[in-house]
Amino acid sequence: MGAELITQHFLSPMVLAFFLGAAGGIARSDLKVPEAVYDAVSIYLLFAIGLKGGAALAEASPAAFWKPASITVLLGAAIPLWSYLVIKRLGKFSTADAAALAAHYGSVSAVTFMAAMGFLQSRGVSFEGFMPSLMAILEVPAILVALLIFRVKQKNEGVEGNISEALREVVFGKSILLLTGGLFIGLVSGKEGFAKVEPFFGAPFAGVLALFLLELGRMAAGRWGDLRTRRGFLLLFGIAAPLVHGMLGSAAGLWAGLSTGGATLLAVLTASASYIAAPAAVRVAIPQANPAFYLTSALAITFPFNLLAGIPIYYGFTSWLAGGG
C-alpha cells in the first residue's frame, strides 16, 4: 500500500510539474517563471491558505483546537533545540550556520503543506479545517528559538547580528503577514464570507500550486551544486530529520485528538523546512551564516524528499499508528 501511495503521488500533476521544472534546471533551459508572476503566485497561495483556515477556524470548537495548538507550539520550540545540537556537534558546523539551519528545520514549508492537502483531498481523506492556522502558529516559534540560541552563543564568540530587525522580518514578513492576515479575515468573515471569494481562492488553487512547483523544481535543481563541502552530512540530515520530526508530529497529532488526515498534516508541518520566512530572518540576524548550507539544504534536499516521498510516508505511518492501515 505504501509503495502504491508513493507511485500515485509521483504521478500527480503537482509533482510532475516539479519534475518538469527540475529537468529544465538540469538542462539549463531558459524555462523560468517571471519573477513578478512568481511573487504573485506565492501571495495568492499564502493568502488562500490563510482565508480557508480562518473560515474553518470560525466553525471550529475551542475545545477541539486548544490541544493541537498547544502541542504545535511545543514542537516549534523543541525541534530547533535538538536540531542545533545535532548540527553543531555531529556536523561540526559553526554556531552561525548551526543556528541558521536549526531555524529552517524548525520552521515550515507552506508549499509542502499545500501539496500534502492536495494529496489527502485527492484520496478523499478529511482533516480538520483549522490545520492552516497550525501552520501559522508553527512558523514563528522555531525561528525565535534559533535566534535566541544564536544570541546566547554570540556573547561568548563575539559574533554580531541584528536580532530586533530579524524579529521584525519574521512578524511582518510576507509569509506571516499573509497567513495571519488571511486567517483573521477568514475568521471574521466566516464561511459565508469565504463563499463569496471561493471561485477564485478555491478551485484554481491546485493549478496555481502546480505552476509554483514548476519554478521551485527549476530552483532546486540549480542549487544542488552549492553543497560542495558538506554535502554528505546535509544530505543525511536533510532526509533523516524530516523522517524523525514527521513521525513525532504524527504521534503528537493523534495524541492531541487530530484525525488521521489532521495528524498527517501536522507530521508534514514538523517534517518540512522553511525556505521563505526563515531565510528572510536569518539573512538579517545571522549574516555570517552561509546560505549555501541553509537554503540549499532546505530547498534542494528536504523539500524534494518531502514532496516526492515524505508525504505518502507520513500518511502511511499515521494510518498505521491510528490503526487504520
Side-chain angles (χ1 to χ4, degrees), residues 214-226:
L214 176 71
E215 176 63 8
L216 283 182
R218 185 194 68 81
M219 292 171 60
R223 284 277 181 181
W224 179 248
D226 293 345

Side-chain angles (χ1 to χ4, degrees), residues 97-148:
D97 287 327
L101 279 161
H104 285 69
Y105 279 86
S107 189
V108 300
S109 163
V111 181
T112 308
F113 180 77
M114 297 174 206
M117 287 196 301
F119 173 87
L120 294 175
Q121 288 169 346
S122 68
R123 283 153 185 78
V125 180
S126 61
F127 51 85
E128 288 76 4
F130 57 72
M131 291 307 298
S133 64
L134 297 187
M135 181 177 70
I137 290 172
L138 190 59
E139 183 86 77
V140 178
I143 298 177
L144 295 181
V145 168
L147 296 185
L148 286 174

Side-chain angles (χ1 to χ4, degrees), residues 151-159:
R151 181 74 166 180
V152 171
K153 295 294 183 180
Q154 74 173 355
K155 291 183 178 180
N156 299 326
E157 299 180 7
V159 181

Side-chain angles (χ1 to χ4, degrees), residues 1-16 18 109-123 125 127 135 205 209 213 216 238-239 241-247 249-250 260-273 275 301-320:
M1 181 63 177
E4 181 183 352
L5 280 174
I6 294 175
T7 300
Q8 292 175 353
H9 185 55
F10 264 66
L11 298 178
S12 70
M14 293 180 295
V15 174
L16 291 175
F18 179 85
S109 163
V111 181
T112 308
F113 180 77
M114 297 174 206
M117 287 196 301
F119 173 87
L120 294 175
Q121 288 169 346
S122 68
R123 283 153 185 78
V125 180
F127 51 85
M135 181 177 70
F205 185 89
L209 178 57
L213 288 172
L216 283 182
I239 293 176
L243 288 172
V244 173
H245 296 164
M247 292 178 183
S250 173
T260 297
T264 298
L265 289 179
L266 184 58
V268 170
L269 288 175
T270 55
S272 62
Y275 48 83
I301 297 176
T302 300
F303 174 66
F305 170 75
N306 277 331
L307 182 67
L308 304 178
I311 292 172
I313 288 174
Y314 307 139
Y315 173 64
F317 177 77
T318 306
S319 298
W320 172 79

Side-chain angles (χ1 to χ4, degrees), residues 21 150 185:
F150 177 73
I185 293 172

